[in-house]
Amino acid sequence: MTATERDPGLQPERTRLAWRRTTLSCTVVALLAVRQALYGGAGPAAIVAASLSALAWLGFLRVAHLRMLGMGTARPRPLSPLGALTATACTVALAVCAAAMLF
């Protein structure tokens, strides 16, 4: 196998699907945060938390989109440390915003 041939296995496709599932989960969390802010009294703290949830969702969406595009190459590069840190920070931010909206 040469360096330009694609891996015959399905690992890149499984990784792409995993990123799609995770993006869908983050989308549901962000939408639930907006719903809670709209129907839960829409106080200033809820609006700020919903806005921060939306920003975290957009950040994660960007990282996931770039990663899924990268999986389409012959030899996908590993996820960069900055991409991993950004995805982790966005996930933690969504969790913190969700916890803040509960209290």
Side-chain angles (χ1 to χ4, degrees), residues 22-62:
T22 307
T23 302
L24 179 62
S25 298
C26 286
T27 302
V28 169
V29 169
L31 288 175
L32 287 174
V34 170
R35 180 182 179 271
Q36 178 67 24
L38 292 176
Y39 296 115
I47 292 173
V48 168
S51 299
L52 291 175
S53 293
L55 285 174
W57 173 72
L58 287 173
F60 187 85
L61 191 65
R62 170 111 173 116

Side-chain angles (χ1 to χ4, degrees), residues 1-8 12 67 70-78:
M1 179 183 298
T2 65
T4 58
E5 288 182 33
R6 184 165 185 97
D7 180 18
R67 185 64 187 149
M71 295 304 295
T73 62
R75 287 285 181 195
R77 292 189 342 234

